[in-house]
Amino acid sequence: MKNLILLFLALGCAMSSRAAIHTETVEYKQGDATLEGFLAYDDSISSKRPGVLVVHQWLGLTDYEKRRATMLAQLGYVAFCADIYGKDSRPKNVQEAGALAGKYKSDRQLLRARVNAGLDVLEKNPLVDTSRVAAIGYCFGGTTVIELARSGADLNGVVSFHGGLDSPTPADGKNIKCKVLALAGADDPFQKPDDLTAFESEMRDNKVDWQIVFYGGAVHAFTQPDPGFVNAGAKYNEKADKRSWEAMKSFFAEIFQ
Amino acid sequence: MKNLILLFLALGCAMSSRAAIHTETVEYKQGDATLEGFLAYDDSISSKRPGVLVVHQWLGLTDYEKRRATMLAQLGYVAFCADIYGKDSRPKNVQEAGALAGKYKSDRQLLRARVNAGLDVLEKNPLVDTSRVAAIGYCFGGTTVIELARSGADLNGVVSFHGGLDSPTPADGKNIKCKVLALAGADDPFQKPDDLTAFESEMRDNKVDWQIVFYGGAVHAFTQPDPGFVNAGAKYNEKADKRSWEAMKSFFAEIFQ
């Protein structure tokens, strides 16, 4: 039986690799704010499947996150990129990005409301099996998906790629119902030792199912090949990028069983 | 072409799952010492394949390591369990185990000689593709495989499962040629923070390709289901066991490409 399943899986892969990935821009609301997300799925599959929310870096929703959503769609998931900042708030430079990210990081209730609005859009998609949903995020988005977990969202898991793990309200760890996977650069200068210790305590104290991986030689933004991201503490690292993607896939294989 | 490969892989799995795993005890020498290891491979495959050395816990070579070797053989590898202590040195209780493990941990040159003797046996096996070799170890064996790397052994990678990561000679990190993956319990009381910090510095200073994974909720010996191992700081953790095995498989997929 197991072998038969493997055979069907291989045939399934053969079919899906010929399929087109459907993508579309989706406008939605949170309170009075108008947000503009991005949906991607394989339209050759008609059955319900797991859904994955993707949360953007500090520069807002860019082609980077859209590429990740497309990669997730190619893996057979419905992927939806949330827009935290709003349709009319696309930072044009790192100064604007820093100001916007800072605004949401210092207003966690608003951040939670915005990311939950994105999750709602994903879960209302008729292709999504709402019993199998996860969220991933990069940098600012890596912070945001853990905040989503802290909001008590009913998910199977969250994956934070080089995200800040700090919390102004660590007691909210008690709300976390889902599994947490943090993927971090071992040499990330933005990952403060005190924040790491506090995060570990938060997870431990609240008996969260959590894991953290440190990639040696990797600094901040290790999955981001855009040379515009390179600075003293941030640089693309191909090995850590590939390894972290594999770690996410392995995590999904477990939580979407 | 890719799809054809997937199809053949599925058919290959279907065939190999019917195959018998050949196992045998192998006597070998290191200096004057007589050692007794354990070999496992799938004898339905005739071609050369990657080899994996397995290094035992402080209790010496037991059925536990033999089971891991058999699991590795089922994955298509030639697996060989090294015997560090010697044929006539099988600890009968934890006191004897502690004394033996302590002896080798305080004589790293002897430990390196013993583990390299096991590696030699593996690499001389005609079924092993000597360009694709790794070592894994548990607890004491997890320390030993990193010591093997520090000896300058020509391997693709080592995987340490809940092993002590300390080194009396951190400068030997310069000899490490292979990739290092450490899999650790986030709550392992035997994993001293200072040892962790020193290990990270050793890896970093010597530009080793290294990674470490911490499993939340896992203490020492998290892969060991034998209730005899349970104590204040050691306990089996099924989730961390399965996740660490998957992490090893993913690492092998990368290093044995």
Side-chain angles (χ1 to χ4, degrees):
Chain A
M1 183 60 194
K2 190 177 162 197
N3 303 325
L4 209 61
I5 292 169
L6 278 166
L7 192 61
F8 279 117
L9 275 175
L11 290 169
C13 290
M15 287 167 67
S16 69
S17 69
R18 284 198 300 272
I21 300 301
H22 171 86
T23 64
E24 66 183 284
T25 298
V26 177
E27 199 170 286
Y28 63 108
K29 303 281 273 187
Q30 186 275 314
D32 292 335
T34 301
L35 312 169
E36 190 178 81
F38 176 84
L39 180 72
Y41 60 87
D42 182 339
D43 62 7
S44 73
I45 312 172
S46 56
S47 57
K48 283 180 183 284
R49 67 208 85 165
V52 181
L53 189 72
V54 181
V55 186
H56 55 73
Q57 300 163 99
W58 71 337
L59 282 173
L61 178 44
T62 67
D63 286 346
Y64 175 79
E65 290 78 17
K66 294 177 184 175
R67 180 171 68 82
R68 294 292 179 184
T70 305
M71 289 167 72
L72 288 164
Q74 284 163 343
L75 293 176
Y77 304 122
V78 176
F80 181 65
C81 295
D83 171 17
I84 304 296
Y85 296 161
K87 185 179 176 180
D88 300 321
S89 295
R90 300 295 194 223
K92 289 183 283 297
N93 51 50
V94 293
Q95 285 74 25
E96 288 184 22
L100 272 166
K103 171 184 165 185
Y104 288 92
K105 285 181 85 166
S106 59
D107 186 348
R108 300 286 174 123
Q109 292 308 317
L110 179 58
L111 182 57
R112 291 181 186 184
R114 286 285 164 94
V115 68
N116 271 290
L119 182 63
D120 284 346
V121 174
L122 175 67
E123 292 192 330
K124 282 186 180 139
N125 188 300
L127 291 174
V128 173
D129 169 2
T130 55
S131 71
R132 295 186 295 163
V133 174
I136 73 170
Y138 295 88
C139 299
F140 168 78
T143 303
T144 304
V145 294
I146 297 190
E147 210 57 50
L148 175 65
R150 289 180 183 122
S151 78
D154 190 16
L155 294 162
N156 298 79
V158 297
V159 184
S160 171
F161 292 81
H162 43 80
L165 304 173
D166 60 295
S167 168
T169 54
D172 287 355
K174 69 179 183 300
N175 302 326
I176 299 179
K177 297 176 195 147
C178 68
K179 298 179 182 181
V180 173
L181 174 63
L183 306 169
D187 297 332
D188 185 342
F190 300 107
Q191 199 68 270
K192 302 276 179 265
D194 285 353
D195 288 347
L196 270 179
T197 306
F199 170 74
E200 291 181 14
S201 296
E202 180 188 354
M203 296 297 113
R204 195 174 279 128
D205 294 348
N206 293 292
K207 298 195 184 345
V208 176
D209 180 333
W210 69 286
Q211 309 167 69
I212 189 164
V213 187
F214 292 98
Y215 299 105
V219 294
H220 196 58
F222 59 79
T223 66
Q224 174 54 274
D226 180 348
F229 266 75
V230 177
N231 65 36
K235 192 179 178 189
Y236 181 63
N237 181 311
E238 187 182 355
K239 262 191 267 194
D241 179 17
K242 288 184 175 171
R243 288 171 179 174
S244 57
W245 190 254
E246 290 303 313
M248 177 204 75
K249 282 164 63 178
S250 186
F251 182 68
F252 284 174
E254 178 193 315
I255 67 174
F256 292 151
Q257 263 173 2
Chain B
M1 183 60 194
K2 191 178 163 196
N3 304 327
L4 210 59
I5 291 170
L6 278 165
L7 193 60
F8 278 117
L9 275 176
L11 290 170
C13 290
M15 288 167 68
S16 70
S17 68
R18 284 199 300 271
I21 301 301
H22 171 85
T23 64
E24 67 182 286
T25 298
V26 178
E27 199 170 284
Y28 63 108
K29 303 282 273 187
Q30 185 276 313
D32 292 335
T34 301
L35 312 169
E36 191 179 80
F38 176 85
L39 181 71
Y41 59 86
D42 181 338
D43 61 6
S44 73
I45 313 173
S46 57
S47 58
K48 283 179 183 286
R49 68 207 82 164
V52 181
L53 190 72
V54 180
V55 186
H56 56 74
Q57 301 164 98
W58 71 336
L59 283 172
L61 178 44
T62 65
D63 286 346
Y64 174 79
E65 290 78 19
K66 293 176 184 175
R67 180 171 67 83
R68 293 293 178 184
T70 305
M71 289 167 72
L72 288 164
Q74 284 163 344
L75 292 176
Y77 303 123
V78 177
F80 181 64
C81 296
D83 171 18
I84 304 296
Y85 296 163
K87 185 180 176 180
D88 301 321
S89 294
R90 300 294 194 224
K92 289 184 283 296
N93 51 50
V94 293
Q95 286 73 24
E96 289 184 22
L100 273 165
K103 171 185 164 183
Y104 288 92
K105 286 181 87 166
S106 59
D107 185 348
R108 301 286 174 124
Q109 292 308 316
L110 179 58
L111 181 57
R112 290 181 186 184
R114 287 285 164 92
V115 68
N116 271 290
L119 183 63
D120 284 346
V121 174
L122 175 67
E123 292 192 329
K124 282 187 180 138
N125 188 299
L127 291 173
V128 173
D129 169 0
T130 54
S131 72
R132 295 188 294 164
V133 174
I136 72 168
Y138 296 89
C139 299
F140 168 78
T143 304
T144 304
V145 295
I146 297 188
E147 210 56 48
L148 175 65
R150 289 181 183 122
S151 78
D154 190 17
L155 294 161
N156 297 80
V158 296
V159 184
S160 172
F161 292 81
H162 42 79
L165 304 172
D166 61 296
S167 168
T169 54
D172 287 356
K174 68 179 184 302
N175 302 324
I176 298 178
K177 298 174 193 146
C178 68
K179 298 179 182 180
V180 173
L181 174 63
L183 306 169
D187 296 332
D188 185 343
F190 300 107
Q191 199 70 269
K192 301 275 180 267
D194 285 353
D195 288 347
L196 270 178
T197 306
F199 170 74
E200 291 182 13
S201 296
E202 180 188 354
M203 297 297 113
R204 195 173 279 128
D205 294 349
N206 292 293
K207 299 194 182 348
V208 176
D209 180 331
W210 69 287
Q211 308 166 69
I212 191 164
V213 186
F214 291 99
Y215 299 104
V219 293
H220 196 58
F222 60 77
T223 67
Q224 173 54 273
D226 180 347
F229 266 74
V230 176
N231 65 36
K235 193 179 178 187
Y236 181 63
N237 182 311
E238 187 182 356
K239 263 191 263 193
D241 179 18
K242 289 184 175 169
R243 288 170 180 175
S244 58
W245 190 255
E246 289 303 314
M248 178 205 73
K249 282 163 64 177
S250 186
F251 183 67
F252 285 173
E254 177 195 316
I255 67 173
F256 292 152
Q257 263 174 1

